Amino acid sequence: MRTGSAIRTVALEEAFLHPRVWDLFPAALQQKYQPVRARLSDVGPQRIRQMDAAGIDVQVLSHVQPGVQVLADDQAELAVSVCREVNDWLAEVVAAQRARFAGFAMLPTQSPAHAADELERAVHQLGFKGALINGHTNGRYLDDPTYDVLLGRAESLGVPIYIHPTDPPAAVSDTYYAPFDSALVPTWGWPVETGTHLLRLICAGVFDRHPDLKIIVGHMGELLPFCFTRLNAGLTMAGWLSAAQSEQPLMHNNVGYYLRNNVFITSSGVFDVPVFDCARAMLGLDNLMFSVDYPFQDNFAAMEFLERCDLSTDEKERFAHRTAEKLLKLDDDKPDRSRQLAVGDTWYRFISRAKSKVGRALISALVK
């Protein structure tokens, strides 16, 4: 038996947890993450063994949300220090397994100028492939003019920024989701929040000022592909009409142009073929990339989804790894896919797959 799948896979939204950031998390958040803390903290042989069992070749690692965005604006100095420490540590992790791991930088967005400098350091000195930012920072979104320095730096460096979901500002949660926020926010609030964040960038003319800036969002597009036609017509016209009263239009092109030219989406956490088909139809296959959302989602479920997608071999390779490799400029180092599994690894793979199937079957039975 050969390791993994016949198709090389690169997964882009794969989380880790650093102890320095763990200590910054409030007690309620620590309690929430406690069941997966061990898997989040492991970036060594056990994680790679789990990747091998399912057939995941490369994980692009990023810190679990809310990361350093948990800090207040007046803690910018601490945020800068923590980001440097975590990024230096992650660089060592990646260097130890260069064929299996790559990294997205953690940025101190409490200070946009420092965030831009840390992104440049992470790319040039540490070899990172971009950055992941967990939504807003204390209510400020990336369309805020203060972040222009950061977005311009990402554009000039030629690296993407991955916008990851986080909780909406308290006022939004209290109005929209309370008293059901513990259930509604992670399932509905996060995609709405992240999709809105991206639309704010478009409405603010961010991609007109930075035409080569690339943004990644996960979870099959954070609901945007389903609203594509309405957004492309309604939001584009509304933006142009409102801008007609000002000296300079905010959007030079239609919404669909920006979604297709500046935005990439991953399949993290959404393994439904009809959902994939919608995203593909609206944005095109070259804007889609495979991901898992480990450890919150199951590697085996992600790989089975990849096999179910109605794609030719060439299309499957584009989705599974080639688009990500081009966007992130991934190194050519690749694991030896022809290595024969040892008896223990074969048994581990069999048991892991069986546990995955049983767990998913139980959940399906419960929610029917």
Side-chain angles (χ1 to χ4, degrees):
M1 184 182 296
R2 298 160 72 91
T3 33
S5 145
I7 298 290
R8 173 171 161 81
T9 52
V10 175
L12 281 76
E13 190 182 317
E14 318 310 311
F16 71 88
L17 172 66
H18 190 278
R20 179 78 184 278
V21 184
W22 173 263
D23 291 339
L24 300 174
F25 285 172
L29 187 57
Q30 290 183 348
Q31 183 178 12
K32 171 185 172 183
Y33 280 141
Q34 194 61 49
V36 291
R37 184 182 179 185
R39 286 197 170 192
L40 281 168
S41 301
D42 170 49
V43 288
Q46 185 60 26
R47 181 181 286 236
I48 290 175
R49 194 181 192 194
Q50 292 168 351
M51 292 165 61
D52 284 342
I56 305 293
D57 290 288
V58 177
Q59 284 189 350
V60 184
L61 301 175
S62 54
H63 199 283
V64 69
Q65 75 90 21
V68 78
Q69 276 75 55
V70 75
L71 295 174
D73 284 343
D74 61 6
Q75 295 176 292
E77 187 175 341
L78 175 60
V80 171
S81 173
V82 170
C83 284
R84 289 184 67 91
E85 179 180 342
V86 172
N87 290 336
D88 287 344
W89 173 87
L90 180 58
E92 294 179 1
V93 169
V94 172
Q97 293 287 348
R98 194 168 299 279
R100 310 307 302 276
F101 294 144
F104 281 140
M106 172 187 280
L107 300 181
T109 49
Q110 293 80 0
S111 171
H114 284 97
D117 290 343
E118 180 60 14
L119 175 61
E120 184 165 352
R121 186 184 80 91
V123 172
H124 282 167
Q125 297 183 25
L126 305 182
F128 285 3
K129 306 306 180 181
L132 182 141
I133 297 173
N134 295 290
H136 65 88
T137 302
N138 302 309
R140 279 190 304 162
Y141 293 83
L142 291 175
D143 63 281
D144 189 290
T146 59
Y147 287 116
D148 222 47
V149 61
L150 171 59
L151 302 179
R153 195 72 58 87
E155 181 185 31
S156 66
L157 291 168
V159 297
I161 292 178
Y162 201 127
I163 301 179
H164 187 277
T166 195
D167 291 355
V172 175
S173 290
D174 292 344
T175 302
Y176 279 14
Y177 304 119
F180 316 110
D181 45 314
S182 62
L184 280 174
V185 167
T187 54
W188 182 255
W190 283 358
V192 170
E193 173 74 12
T194 311
T196 302
H197 193 160
L198 181 55
L199 292 176
R200 289 178 64 99
L201 298 182
I202 294 174
C203 290
V206 163
F207 298 115
D208 295 311
R209 296 193 300 277
H210 305 289
D212 294 324
L213 175 66
K214 305 302 182 186
I215 298 292
I216 308 173
V217 295
H219 312 104
M220 213 66 86
E222 308 292 7
L223 303 177
L224 295 180
F226 304 100
C227 305
F228 180 92
T229 302
R230 183 178 178 88
L231 289 169
N232 194 41
L235 183 57
T236 298
M237 293 302 299
W240 288 346
L241 289 171
S242 63
Q245 303 175 3
S246 63
E247 295 182 359
Q248 183 176 359
L250 293 180
M251 290 190 294
H252 296 169
N253 299 287
N254 60 42
V255 170
Y257 173 90
Y258 302 111
L259 291 177
R260 289 178 172 137
N261 284 272
N262 300 96
V263 178
F264 291 82
I265 71 176
T266 77
S267 62
S268 60
V270 179
F271 308 138
D272 295 317
V273 173
V275 179
F276 170 82
D277 290 341
C278 174
R280 180 188 181 189
M282 295 296 102
L283 297 182
L285 182 63
D286 287 338
N287 291 72
L288 274 59
M289 300 181 291
F290 173 83
S291 285
V292 180
D293 201 0
Y294 179 89
F296 304 102
Q297 298 294 332
D298 185 272
N299 285 333
F300 289 100
M303 293 301 293
E304 291 170 15
F305 154 75
L306 179 59
E307 293 303 316
R308 293 197 309 272
C309 290
D310 183 19
L311 298 171
S312 68
T313 300
D314 176 74
E315 291 171 332
K316 191 169 293 187
E317 288 182 347
R318 284 157 56 194
F319 174 56
H321 68 94
R322 290 212 308 258
T323 299
E325 289 166 343
K326 180 179 179 181
L327 178 65
L328 303 185
K329 305 177 183 70
L330 290 177
D331 297 334
D332 292 332
D333 295 336
K334 298 179 181 179
D336 181 5
R337 301 180 61 81
S338 64
R339 177 179 65 84
Q340 295 294 318
L341 286 173
V343 173
D345 290 334
T346 303
W347 180 245
Y348 177 83
R349 182 181 184 185
F350 174 79
I351 294 297
S352 298
R353 185 184 296 275
K355 287 181 178 179
S356 168
K357 286 184 177 293
V358 170
R360 284 179 279 148
L362 287 173
I363 292 173
S364 295
L366 286 171
V367 299
K368 277 186 177 178

